[in-house]
Amino acid sequence: MLVISGITASLFAVLGIAFFCGKGSFLIAGYNTASPEEKEQIDEKSLCRAVGSLMFLLAACCCVMALSGIFDNIVFLWIGIVLFAVVTIGGVIYMNISQKINKRK
């Protein structure tokens, strides 16, 4: 469990770095398939920063899950899973309603 959580956290952290630097917008589902007119309504740099921040938060959730293997306590696993779900849902909602990302008026 510790190894899997560590690898997952590392992958999220690497993706977070890539997105936070403004690269990798082609990996964002929905944005890469949007029409050019729809892409004009979205600030790509702000979107990448928001997705990068989301990836860092998800990496932190995976680290909480890894504590389950370190301390041999299932409570950390459940806390990490709940945090993962809350952060994911909250991040998606934020990115959809944020005026920083959407240029629509």
Side-chain angles (χ1 to χ4, degrees), residues 13-75:
V14 168
L15 283 172
I17 292 168
F19 285 126
F20 210 71
C21 292
K23 308 290 184 205
S25 64
F26 64 93
L27 295 172
I28 300 172
Y31 181 73
N32 62 353
T33 59
S35 67
E37 295 83 26
E38 291 174 326
K39 285 184 179 182
E40 288 177 4
Q41 297 177 352
I42 298 172
D43 183 9
E44 183 178 343
K45 187 159 179 85
S46 294
L47 177 64
C48 284
R49 282 185 151 298
V51 173
S53 298
L54 178 65
M55 292 296 124
F56 288 133
L57 289 172
L58 293 177
C61 293
C62 288
C63 289
V64 171
M65 288 184 224
L67 292 175
S68 167
I70 294 171
F71 294 117
D72 197 28
N73 190 345
I74 197 81
V75 173

